Amino acid sequence: MWIEGLPGHLLGQRPGRRIGATIAVAALLAVGTPAHADLTYALCIGGGLASDFNGDGHADVAVGEPSGESPWPGWIHVLYGTDTGLSVTAPEDQVFEQDTAGVPGVSENEDRFGAALAAGDFNGDCFADVVIGAPEEDSGRGSVTVLYGSDDGLTTDSSTRFLQGVDGVPGPAYTGEWFGSSLASGDFDADGYADVAVGVYEDRIVSVADALGEGSVYVLHGSETGLTSAGAVMFSQDSAGVPGVAEEDDRFGWAVTAGDFDGDGADDLATGAYNENSGAGYAIVLYGAASTGLSSAGSQGWWQDSAGISDTAESGDFFGSALAAGDLTGDGRDELVVGAWGENSREGVAHVLLGSAAGLTSAGSQLRGQDSAGVLDAGEVDDFFGYAVAVGDFTGDGVHADLAVGAPGEDGRSGAIHVLPGTATGASTAADQFWTQNSAAVIGASEPYDMWGESLRAARVVSPDRADLLVGIPGEYYVEDNEGGLHFMPGDPTGLTSDGDQQFAPSILNVEGDPHLNGFFGRALG
């Protein structure tokens, strides 16, 4: 089973502490800050990037290594951003596991700590924090742990673990439900503190007697003291107003992403149920609102048989298996990108739904695949195009975000990525970039089962003005089979560039931690 991490938001940003300084806000308005920008967020030291754990103005990255030779407890690695890329020396990179002093819990066989990651400023101190999923904790009941940022980067001070049915988190928990299998950060109630959506794709919400669950999503809220279970809520297809019907093994909550699709200043939540309708797949959007947060009121359900959506829903398409949000059109509202990697015998496609004042709309929606006019290469069985998607302003034009799509099955599962530039109408195929590890000047070499592009994340590592792309290579071999790796590709006015690209893995010199057989380093990125 592949459990992927969550791709980034357009700006790689989430809200910081509300300063309450009218003069400062007025000054920002005077210099032309867009109306849809989070004004208070701009007051954070370093600009408040979603994963800037040490507040220096460079996004950092948490990398999951959820497996490894028995006992498979799981680890996360933290690499810090600089003006030349990611660094393992300034400051020192870090490794955390559940046996690290101050981290709640105990490393145990098959916890898979680090199988899912998300970053955001949950306590409003302008240092990003990270949430870590360990979905197989306690025989698959699962857990979520938060580590907080500081001047020195991530720290175990005040770290907290959340479990279903404990200390205010709705429950109860049963074995094999996988609490923490997916994670997304967004400010759903627009209070200036990032919140977290937690996917539980096998949550048994209809009957505990079911062999497999139907799936759900839990929301934990940020506060001045950090992430809290106070006021935690749960949504499923059994919740009033949520589209669809909760059915066994729909896998609602497999993928989650946050974006402001209606431009009202509160983030909204998209959730994928890729196994709905015999694997045709489904995506559900819940809308956020200032003060009240997420609600099922006005929620939407989308699939390939929805009016205005191209193609037809078919068994095994897996629509909703990957999700990303960002403002491709430049109108101040986010678009939703939905991967359907099983389409056409697993050639795969990605759909783009446009944001509007009324929320997402199928009007002008787009279907993108390797057989789309202008897209480089050609669709082939088992390319898995759309297995991972990410949105970021790679060109730094300041208007349109761009779309990165992973095709990790390309060429014997060596893997590839495409970059489609954003335009006023969405993701354009006119200047598609096609990258593999065999592309000119790219570090490394394409090898079967590398799965280059199985996970993607956009982050402003080098410059606050442009996004870079982080590419997971969980099947990469360095000194161990499936040790895994991370590829860093800088943004550039032309899109992405190999100039200054980097690779990291546990066996590469100066990277903290040990290489592990079947470690799958890079499977999750946060």
Side-chain angles (χ1 to χ4, degrees):
M1 179 182 69
W2 302 337
I3 302 179
E4 69 174 282
L6 299 170
H9 189 268
L10 161 61
L11 298 180
Q13 295 182 340
R14 283 293 180 260
R17 172 168 292 171
R18 295 185 298 166
I19 306 299
T22 7
I23 295 175
V25 171
L28 285 170
L29 285 171
V31 298
T33 301
H36 65 272
D38 185 335
L39 298 177
T40 62
Y41 198 68
L43 299 176
C44 282
I45 297 169
L49 299 171
S51 62
D52 183 3
F53 304 129
N54 60 358
D56 66 354
H58 297 281
D60 312 308
V61 59
V63 185
E65 185 186 6
S67 299
E69 68 266 29
S70 182
W72 302 351
W75 302 263
I76 72 157
H77 299 248
V78 185
L79 304 175
Y80 285 88
T82 72
D83 57 9
T84 58
L86 293 172
S87 172
V88 295
T89 57
E92 281 191 30
D93 59 314
Q94 300 168 298
V95 179
F96 295 95
E97 58 179 317
Q98 289 187 94
D99 282 343
T100 301
V103 175
V106 177
S107 290
E108 300 163 313
N109 184 37
E110 297 189 14
D111 283 347
R112 300 201 189 273
F113 183 81
L117 297 164
D121 186 2
F122 307 123
N123 58 5
D125 64 357
C126 294
F127 298 105
D129 316 306
V130 68
V131 284
I132 307 158
E136 295 195 30
E137 175 88 38
D138 191 15
S139 301
R141 289 177 173 85
S143 69
V144 168
T145 299
V146 58
L147 304 180
Y148 291 97
S150 73
D151 283 321
D152 298 319
L154 286 178
T155 173
T156 60
D157 294 348
S158 303
S159 60
T160 308
R161 185 170 65 155
F162 297 90
L163 308 167
Q164 274 181 284
V166 177
D167 295 332
V169 179
Y174 300 104
T175 60
E177 291 188 322
W178 320 122
F179 181 82
S181 54
S182 63
L183 297 166
S185 169
D187 187 2
F188 304 121
D189 52 10
D191 65 352
Y193 302 104
D195 312 309
V196 171
V198 181
V200 195
Y201 72 85
E202 291 288 9
D203 200 4
R204 295 179 181 87
I205 52 141
V206 174
S207 171
V208 68
D210 289 342
L212 299 168
E214 298 76 25
S216 67
V217 174
Y218 290 68
V219 180
L220 307 175
H221 295 100
S223 72
E224 190 171 2
T225 57
L227 207 59
T228 175
S229 58
V233 292
M234 184 270 278
F235 295 95
S236 74
Q237 289 181 283
D238 201 40
S239 300
V242 174
V245 176
E247 299 162 313
E248 193 172 358
D249 208 30
D250 279 348
R251 303 202 167 188
F252 178 89
W254 175 269
V256 286
T257 197
D260 187 0
F261 305 123
D262 55 9
D264 67 353
D267 278 327
D268 313 309
L269 178 68
T271 301
Y274 82 88
N275 218 30
E276 175 89 30
N277 295 323
S278 301
Y282 201 58
I284 289 171
V285 179
L286 306 176
Y287 285 89
S291 301
T292 57
L294 290 174
S295 165
S296 61
S299 58
Q300 299 171 306
W302 301 97
W303 63 325
Q304 288 179 297
D305 279 348
S306 296
I309 303 291
S310 298
D311 209 68
T312 303
E314 300 156 314
S315 177
D317 284 346
F318 302 141
F319 180 90
S321 52
L323 301 168
D327 188 2
L328 297 167
T329 62
D331 66 354
R333 304 180 185 97
D334 288 335
E335 277 64 61
L336 178 66
V337 182
V338 184
W341 64 267
E343 179 72 40
N344 296 331
S345 300
R346 300 169 302 282
E347 290 181 16
V349 296
H351 293 261
V352 179
L353 301 176
L354 304 185
S356 77
L360 288 177
T361 174
S362 60
S365 67
Q366 299 172 313
L367 173 67
R368 298 291 183 247
Q370 289 186 100
D371 286 336
S372 298
V375 174
L376 300 176
D377 203 56
E380 300 156 315
V381 171
D382 290 338
D383 278 348
F384 304 156
F385 181 93
Y387 190 85
V389 287
V391 179
D393 184 4
F394 304 123
T395 64
D397 69 4
V399 179
H400 302 288
D402 311 302
L403 171 61
V405 182
E410 178 76 36
D411 192 18
R413 303 194 184 185
S414 59
I417 60 171
H418 292 258
V419 180
L420 305 176
T423 69
T425 56
S428 171
T429 62
D432 173 38
Q433 292 183 305
F434 177 68
W435 295 95
T436 74
Q437 289 188 93
N438 284 340
S439 297
V442 170
I443 295 172
S446 292
E447 300 157 320
Y449 296 96
D450 279 350
M451 300 298 289
W452 197 71
E454 184 188 305
S455 59
L456 299 172
R457 182 170 174 265
R460 297 189 177 219
V461 174
V462 172
S463 167
D465 300 323
R466 180 179 298 132
D468 311 300
L469 186 65
L470 306 166
V471 184
I473 330 169
E476 184 70 75
Y477 171 86
Y478 293 98
V479 300
E480 297 281 4
D481 283 335
N482 298 318
E483 176 186 336
L486 173 71
H487 202 119
F488 169 81
M489 297 200 71
D492 181 82
T494 61
L496 293 181
T497 177
S498 59
D499 185 11
D501 69 326
Q502 301 171 295
Q503 274 198 17
F504 300 89
S507 64
I508 291 178
L509 184 66
N510 295 326
V511 175
E512 287 290 326
D514 300 317
H516 295 101
L517 174 68
N518 298 325
F520 299 112
F521 177 94
R523 178 150 281 176
L525 305 173

